[in-house]
Amino acid sequence: MVDATHRAGGVIPPAEVPELELYHPKSWWTTYVFSQDAKVIAIQYAGTAMAIGLVALMLSWLIRLQLGFPGTFDFITPDAYYQFVTMHGMIMVIYLLTALFLGGFGNYLIPLMVGARDMVFPYANMLSYWIYLLAVLVLVASFFVPGGPTGAGWTLYPPQALLNGTPGGQELGIILMLVSLILFIIGFTMGGLNYVVTVLQGRTRGMTLMRMPLTVWGIFTATVMALLAFPALFVACVMMLFDRVLGTSFFMPALVEMGELTSHGGGSPILFQHLFWFFGHPEVYIVALPAFGIVSDLISTHARKNIFGYRMMVWAIVIIGALSFVVWAHHMYVSGMHPLFGFFFATTTLIIAVPTAIKVYNWILTLWRGDIHLTLPMLFALAFIVTFLNGGLTGLFLGNVVVDVPLSDTMFVVAHFHMVMGVAPILVIFGAIYHWYPKITGRMLNQQLGLFHFWVTFVGAYAIFFPMHYLGLVGAPRRYPELGGTAFIPESVADLNAFISITAFVVGFAQLVFLFNLIWSLRYGKEAGPNPWRATTLEWQTPTTPPPHGNWGDERPVVYRWAYDYSVPGAPQDFIPQNDPWPDKPLTRPA
Amino acid sequence: MSVVLVFLLVVIGFSFWWLSHQRIMSKPWLESGVHTAVPETDASGMATEKVALGVFLAVVGALFALFASAYFMRMEYSDWQAPPLPRILWLNTFVLMLASAAFSCAVRATRERHIALTRLALSAAGLGTLVFLAGQVTAWRELAAGGYFMDTNPANGFFYLMTGVHALHILGGLVALGRTTIRAWDPGAEPKRLTLGIELCAMYWHFLLLVWLGVFVLLEGWAGDLVTLCRQLLT
């Protein structure tokens, strides 16, 4: 061990960075509703995201009803099917995953983990949530307008997104979708600035960047990426809104619709695709990096072992973040491009597998000879590793132009992206909720219900998405509400689809058990105590659980070590909290 | 998408340069004690508000770089016809430069605690900005009067869109300027707070001037010529 204390003498010099002046709420409204406390905002974000996520879950049931039992349900017309698919995709990617990881976990964990009292700009943080809520409400409103929500697919490709044949294209659906996205981006920017600047400026003494838990690194890097990538979606949405409302032709080419020439002409749909995927690909990592970070912490804590290759893990996060901006066109191989571009984007796509693989190896090496406790967070973390690996490997298939072209419009792609950015991050979200719920509420979640939830979700997700790879390989196309009697598609595809649908209903119901557990344990869960997992990071060392506004009582903690001192030889316990000066004495304040 | 890629390269380059000064080669598992770069924490000594504004300006930069990228990609198509730019834009550019210069004066004055000069400079900057906005509206009306509407050509669309988004950012800045101006007239205001507010406004205005120069060059069509020149040099 190297003593890294900056100034000898064992005395803390007076603070050069003043403590935050917190706004202390005076009424019920400002405490629980218009709260500026990052922890309350986190719960608001998470609650809203989960509520809208439930809508998306139900939409997926409707999609599966149609695919599993085509022709049985009259109310699922092709138009309705496309609306379900569009809203399911958009809600899950943006309004659930992004909002929950960054708005939910980011808000709750960043200030606690870096030893801050709150975010640096609490008021903007509060606004961020309310604008997000407004965005969600605008999105929900599109279900109730004439024509219903847009059915353009979650990628909203023009020109079809704005045409008569597409549900919501010439009605309000697409307008509300675009407005909702624009609002989301504005709200996110306010929150995102907070997360980044809090990590940069709000850390407590001794918390150097290289002592931060990987969770904070993951959320921090993802937020930086989101701040740079969301403007692309913003530009795309604004220009598309102009095309739709003001009759410009940024994206809309000249075309004949129902025998009549539309008023547009000369626009470039490819331009939209470039803008959309310039946001869309980083978005995958905006969701994945927080998951990477959280999973690292879960594995280390529940295997009672320091994370293997911490430095490498940090560098890999940063490098993945940078690389993810130069791979976007691999989503556009079938849109047509210069072969050299295809080659370039295939190469960068495959290169990004290197830092990602480093992370997977490091997780496995952390588990190697660890004291593995198969707690619920650990189970979900393990499930994440296999699922992410699975989805990542099919990504290598699709990253190559020649393999992607025949597979691109098949169910193989659906299987791939659900594995890698649907199931995998959701497993981490569950693991993280089981892990941090005791800190948030002071009570443990019920173990039996949790085990039931885990096994049904994990096995069920495989039963749903694994067969889809085969569906894709035999040529079953995606985006079709009904396959009909296509010659090359064997009849077994229909049976498999029915099987997948039934599994999907079961897995969906298991999520209701999880929700029940969340509510039931609030009251009847076992008392957790301040640090039930015997973890090292700062959020478990708060003087009170759940932590109050301001987090730390009179004094912010002082950090003496990194976040992964588990099973240190000679230490009194098998973990040493970050604010524990062992084997030295704590620094004292000058009198 | 080359414009936004160049912009990102700058941002990523800066981030990596900054990271390389953050002891990323250290081995945290081998150390104990309160090691920090500055005695307290290794957060930078810069005011938190300035760091936040810096990050925000990077986001604004990304936004305009993306508009520029879209502009270049769209102008390749055959229907593109750039509108004749109103001459008043030259005057507007000059006025915005004056406003930016006034902010520089305000920063110096407030650092030297010249309250009268600070107030004068702030008023001048605010007035200059309002004149700029009025000038932009005049430019819009001139174009519209000439029949160059938003939907007649994508080049017109880009003109209204980019100048509009830029003006919206200026309007947002005016809110901050308004608050700072009120503080400048408040005798009980803390001088440090006032200085910080003026510095933030100045930073924002300088950046928006830079963005405007970029937009202006783009709309004038010089940027296209520059790209053609670069392409010829490369091939």
Side-chain angles (χ1 to χ4, degrees):
Chain A
M1 280 280 174
V2 181
D3 181 10
T5 306
H6 192 80
R7 267 189 201 167
V11 172
I12 302 175
E16 288 180 8
V17 178
E19 305 284 22
L20 271 173
E21 283 172 28
L22 289 181
Y23 165 79
H24 287 289
K26 292 179 187 66
S27 69
W28 183 87
W29 280 100
T30 46
T31 312
Y32 296 106
V33 183
F34 296 103
S35 172
Q36 299 186 22
D37 181 356
K39 296 186 295 300
V40 177
I41 295 171
I43 293 165
Q44 291 174 326
Y45 251 114
T48 313
M50 282 201 257
I52 192 72
L54 272 183
V55 174
L57 178 76
M58 281 181 241
L59 290 172
S60 75
W61 281 345
L62 293 170
I63 297 168
R64 283 318 314 182
L65 274 181
Q66 171 65 19
L67 288 177
F69 313 99
T72 318
F73 302 94
D74 290 339
F75 69 97
I76 310 179
T77 57
D79 274 4
Y81 177 83
Y82 286 124
Q83 290 171 324
F84 299 158
V85 172
T86 306
M87 297 307 271
H88 167 79
M90 196 59 104
I91 290 174
M92 286 294 190
V93 172
I94 309 246
Y95 299 87
L96 174 71
L97 286 173
T98 310
L100 194 49
F101 269 123
L102 301 181
F105 290 110
N107 263 317
Y108 202 90
L109 294 176
I110 290 175
L112 277 168
M113 281 187 151
V114 302
R117 291 194 180 277
D118 204 331
M119 289 288 179
V120 285
F121 303 113
Y123 187 77
N125 206 23
M126 175 183 77
L127 274 187
S128 160
Y129 167 72
W130 289 100
I131 297 178
Y132 164 66
L133 182 67
L134 185 64
V136 170
L137 292 178
V138 171
L139 186 82
V140 171
S142 72
F143 281 100
F144 302 102
V145 294
T150 172
W154 90 278
T155 51
L156 304 179
Y157 278 3
Q160 49 91 9
L162 302 185
L163 295 182
N164 259 320
T166 309
Q170 280 299 309
E171 285 130 337
L172 277 171
I174 186 71
I175 296 180
L176 288 178
M177 170 58 87
L178 295 171
V179 169
S180 171
L181 284 172
I182 289 171
L183 284 172
F184 180 91
I185 295 165
I186 293 171
F188 170 77
T189 305
M190 292 184 174
L193 282 174
N194 256 309
Y195 316 151
V196 170
V197 180
T198 303
V199 170
L200 292 178
Q201 298 289 99
R203 280 168 289 145
T204 186
R205 354 187 133 73
M207 181 61 86
T208 60
L209 278 183
M210 292 304 274
R211 279 179 178 178
M212 292 196 307
L214 287 166
T215 299
V216 179
W217 266 108
I219 296 176
F220 171 66
T221 315
T223 310
V224 173
M225 289 168 60
L227 285 174
L228 294 171
F230 269 118
L233 184 65
F234 187 87
V235 169
C237 286
V238 169
M239 284 163 66
M240 192 147 151
L241 202 59
F242 277 34
D243 273 7
R244 169 70 180 75
V245 180
L246 300 176
T248 54
S249 301
F250 293 122
F251 302 135
M252 294 297 282
L255 39 81
V256 176
E257 191 187 30
M258 312 216 174
E260 278 180 38
L261 198 64
T262 61
S263 59
H264 302 286
S268 162
I270 294 283
L271 171 58
F272 177 86
Q273 296 189 15
H274 276 296
L275 290 171
F276 183 84
W277 289 114
F278 190 81
F279 144 78
H281 195 81
E283 170 65 24
V284 175
Y285 289 95
I286 290 165
V287 171
L289 289 184
F292 288 173
I294 288 172
V295 121
S296 308
D297 283 359
L298 296 189
I299 287 178
S300 177
T301 305
H302 295 270
R304 316 306 298 163
K305 209 176 142 209
N306 60 2
I307 193 83
F308 187 91
Y310 173 82
R311 269 198 307 183
M312 212 52 109
M313 292 299 246
V314 171
W315 297 347
I317 287 179
V318 174
I319 289 169
I320 291 173
L323 277 179
S324 69
F325 278 101
V326 285
V327 298
W328 79 90
H330 68 213
H331 295 270
M332 299 164 55
Y333 289 151
V334 291
S335 301
M337 64 173 81
H338 193 287
L340 281 178
F341 278 147
F343 174 74
F344 172 81
F345 284 106
T347 312
T348 50
T349 303
L350 299 185
I351 287 175
I352 216 169
V354 176
T356 316
I358 288 176
K359 297 194 74 73
V360 176
Y361 284 124
N362 282 354
W363 290 323
I364 293 169
L365 286 166
T366 305
L367 290 168
W368 174 253
R369 306 189 70 176
D371 177 9
I372 298 174
H373 292 51
L374 287 178
T375 53
L376 286 164
M378 182 58 137
L379 286 173
F380 277 103
L382 295 175
F384 163 81
I385 297 178
V386 280
T387 311
F388 185 75
L389 185 64
N390 210 311
L393 287 176
T394 50
L396 293 183
F397 288 48
L398 296 172
N400 283 292
V401 186
V402 282
V403 190
D404 179 75
V405 169
L407 285 177
S408 188
D409 281 322
T410 70
M411 292 300 275
F412 191 88
V413 175
V414 178
H416 159 71
F417 71 69
H418 274 93
M419 277 287 191
V420 82
M421 88 166 291
V423 180
I426 290 274
L427 288 171
V428 176
I429 286 177
F430 288 140
I433 291 177
Y434 283 104
H435 185 77
W436 278 294
Y437 187 86
K439 180 50 67 177
I440 299 168
T441 63
R443 290 179 187 272
M444 306 293 282
L445 280 163
N446 183 288
Q447 173 89 1
Q448 266 65 41
L449 288 177
L451 282 172
F452 172 79
H453 173 228
F454 169 75
W455 284 109
V456 176
T457 305
F458 178 51
V459 177
Y462 267 76
I464 294 169
F465 295 110
F466 216 73
M468 281 190 197
H469 292 95
Y470 295 97
L471 288 182
L473 288 174
V474 298
R478 60 179 168 139
R479 300 199 182 103
Y480 284 33
E482 217 171 318
L483 293 179
T486 316
F488 63 86
I489 297 176
E491 276 180 28
S492 56
V493 163
D495 301 335
L496 203 51
N497 260 331
F499 167 76
I500 291 174
S501 293
I502 291 167
T503 323
F505 304 140
V506 174
V507 174
F509 277 113
Q511 310 316 310
L512 300 184
V513 174
F514 169 68
L515 285 182
F516 170 76
N517 196 356
L518 281 185
I519 296 163
W520 186 83
S521 301
L522 212 54
R523 183 126 191 208
Y524 302 103
K526 209 172 70 185
E527 291 267 358
N531 190 0
W533 310 114
R534 297 178 300 137
T536 56
T537 39
L538 288 181
E539 80 275 22
W540 299 104
Q541 324 304 335
T542 51
T544 29
T545 299
H549 191 200
N551 296 345
W552 304 108
D554 291 340
E555 268 182 47
R556 287 165 73 184
V558 179
V559 169
Y560 295 90
R561 58 187 67 250
W562 71 328
Y564 300 97
D565 268 342
Y566 290 104
S567 310
V568 177
Q573 307 176 78
D574 79 336
F575 71 104
I576 313 173
Q578 282 192 279
N579 59 348
D580 184 343
W582 183 87
D584 304 316
K585 288 199 181 78
L587 299 180
T588 49
R589 279 186 177 279
Chain B
M1 301 296 276
S2 41
V3 180
V4 72
L5 282 179
V6 169
F7 176 81
L8 268 186
L9 203 67
V10 172
V11 172
I12 291 175
F14 175 80
S15 311
F16 276 54
W17 169 83
W18 175 79
L19 272 176
S20 71
H21 288 73
Q22 301 297 316
R23 306 192 323 120
I24 48 163
M25 299 300 287
S26 65
K27 298 177 177 166
W29 53 94
L30 290 180
E31 21 166 277
S32 68
V34 200
H35 187 125
T36 48
V38 209
E40 281 304 297
T41 137
D42 69 355
S44 83
M46 204 190 256
T48 301
E49 287 83 354
K50 276 193 194 166
V51 176
L53 183 60
V55 178
F56 179 65
L57 292 184
V59 178
V60 178
L63 183 72
F64 280 96
L66 282 155
F67 273 124
S69 287
Y71 185 87
F72 278 120
M73 285 172 74
R74 188 65 183 81
M75 75 187 283
E76 306 271 311
Y77 289 75
S78 55
D79 63 334
W80 184 271
Q81 267 187 332
L85 285 200
R87 299 187 70 83
I88 194 171
L89 289 183
W90 287 93
L91 185 69
N92 294 351
T93 311
F94 181 67
V95 171
L96 192 62
M97 279 176 175
L98 284 186
S100 218
F103 269 116
S104 292
C105 288
V107 168
R108 287 193 80 168
T110 178
R111 279 186 191 153
E112 288 163 11
R113 302 272 184 272
H114 254 299
I115 191 68
L117 194 59
T118 308
R119 285 174 184 168
L120 182 69
L122 278 184
S123 316
L127 194 69
T129 310
L130 288 175
V131 171
F132 171 80
L133 285 178
Q136 295 291 81
V137 174
T138 316
W140 278 26
R141 294 173 63 117
E142 241 178 69
L143 266 192
Y148 298 97
F149 296 114
M150 186 130 203
D151 52 354
T152 40
N153 197 279
N156 307 347
F158 269 107
F159 178 87
Y160 290 109
L161 185 59
M162 290 172 88
T163 50
V165 172
H166 181 262
L168 275 181
H169 280 85
I170 295 250
L171 278 177
L174 278 178
V175 175
L177 177 61
R179 293 180 55 167
T180 309
T181 313
I182 291 170
R183 196 170 287 138
W185 258 268
D186 174 9
E190 204 185 321
K192 255 182 146 174
R193 247 336 278 169
L194 178 65
T195 309
L196 179 65
I198 293 176
E199 283 172 350
L200 291 172
C201 282
M203 198 168 146
Y204 189 69
W205 252 261
H206 294 334
F207 185 81
L208 281 186
L209 172 65
L210 205 70
V211 167
W212 168 248
L213 292 177
V215 170
F216 191 42
V217 165
L218 201 66
L219 295 174
E220 272 286 358
W222 296 330
D225 299 344
L226 195 71
V227 171
T228 328
L229 189 73
C230 289
R231 225 172 253 164
Q232 278 169 352
L233 286 176
L234 282 172
T235 47

